Amino acid sequence: GENVEQHPSTLSVQEGDSAVIKCTYSDSASNYFPWYKQELGKRPQLIIDIRSNVGEKKDQRIAVTLNKTAKHFSLHITETQPEDSAVYFCAYNFGNEKLTFGTGTRLTIIP
Amino acid sequence: GAVVSQHPSRVICKSGTSVKIECRSLDFQATTMFWYRQFPKKSLMLMATSNEGSKATYEQGVEKDKFLINHASLTLSTLTVTSAHPEDSSFYICSARDQGLPLHFGNGTRLTVT
């Protein structure tokens, strides 16, 4: 069955430092791993995604790494800024393109 | 890019009444849409998969007679919360895909049942 663990649940980082959030999944058939950012009261916004044939993907200050052997993928945010404060969710597809979401990480950037 | 529009954004209703939420794909056709529910400070939980022209597929534990889903066209899916109760108060979000992943989300509907 599908299961995804996300850690940590809360993370406070000094502005300018890096933040890393990790998710571990159980279904080896998964081939798509997105990360979403959600601000209070708003919809989740896709910030980066990776497919199983790639080990790492970068987009400016954001990167995602995937370790298929260990079944985990991580979000890396460098040079953090106050506007990075939000809740971040990992997700992965479990059959028929349904997405299962992680439990979320509340990231706070300390000015 | 692909845009998903959801209405209403907020609705307050009395216990026992029904509420309809609309989800539209504005610039693409969506044979499949997904309905999620999110309680405060919790993750998004998939409720059901809406299929154009056929019955919706519900996740385990979701009452199909309470959460009616209709996907009558390639651009519109509706979720009706029937006989709403305070415990149904939540943030409901639809999503759709344009020929594959990623999913695009609507703005969500905050339902409050008094």
Side-chain angles (χ1 to χ4, degrees):
Chain A
E2 65 270 32
N3 183 39
V4 56
E5 295 184 5
Q6 183 172 343
H7 297 282
S9 57
T10 60
L11 179 61
S12 294
V13 173
Q14 205 71 37
E15 181 178 354
D17 289 348
S18 297
V20 181
I21 304 169
K22 181 178 177 180
C23 279
T24 304
Y25 61 98
S26 58
D27 184 2
S28 57
S30 303
N31 58 15
Y32 176 69
F33 306 90
W35 284 92
Y36 285 85
K37 174 184 180 182
Q38 187 180 31
E39 297 178 351
L40 188 62
K42 297 189 177 180
R43 65 180 165 188
Q45 297 238 338
L46 178 69
I47 56 172
I48 197 166
D49 56 11
I50 193 169
R51 298 192 183 264
S52 59
N53 58 345
V54 177
E56 183 177 2
K57 183 178 178 181
K58 286 185 179 180
D59 183 4
Q60 300 182 336
R61 297 188 297 110
I62 296 173
V64 54
T65 57
L66 172 64
N67 184 325
K68 287 206 72 179
T69 303
K71 295 183 184 177
H72 65 71
F73 58 112
S74 299
L75 174 70
H76 305 255
I77 306 175
T78 59
E79 301 173 30
T80 53
Q81 301 168 3
E83 52 265 37
D84 294 329
S85 295
V87 179
Y88 291 81
F89 293 98
C90 65
Y92 76 104
N93 66 317
F94 178 72
N96 197 28
E97 297 178 321
K98 295 190 297 185
L99 283 187
T100 298
F101 282 81
T103 48
T105 297
R106 182 170 299 279
L107 175 64
T108 303
I109 307 302
I110 304 167
Chain B
V3 177
V4 176
S5 175
Q6 187 174 341
H7 294 281
S9 57
R10 289 179 180 273
V11 59
I12 301 173
C13 71
K14 292 188 176 182
S15 187
T17 61
S18 295
V19 173
K20 181 185 283 188
I21 303 170
E22 292 188 349
C23 181
R24 295 181 185 272
S25 55
L26 296 187
D27 50 0
F28 65 98
Q29 294 182 331
T31 57
T32 304
M33 292 185 177
F34 303 93
W35 287 95
Y36 288 83
R37 179 169 54 182
Q38 185 177 31
F39 291 108
K41 297 186 179 181
K42 298 293 184 181
S43 186
L44 288 84
M45 299 299 296
L46 181 65
M47 298 176 66
T49 302
S50 174
N51 304 297
E52 188 268 334
S54 64
K55 292 183 179 180
T57 305
Y58 290 82
E59 295 299 304
Q60 190 173 7
V62 178
E63 300 174 59
K64 62 180 180 180
D65 293 331
K66 181 169 185 61
F67 299 100
L68 301 180
I69 291 174
N70 184 278
H71 195 152
S73 78
L74 287 171
T75 59
L76 175 63
S77 174
T78 61
L79 168 68
T80 301
V81 183
T82 62
S83 187
H85 290 285
E87 56 266 31
D88 298 324
S89 298
S90 188
F91 191 51
Y92 293 85
I93 314 174
C94 70
S95 66
R97 54 182 177 82
D98 181 12
Q99 298 180 1
L101 295 164
L103 287 186
H104 303 281
F105 284 88
N107 282 326
T109 297
R110 184 159 304 283
L111 170 64
T112 303
V113 184
T114 61

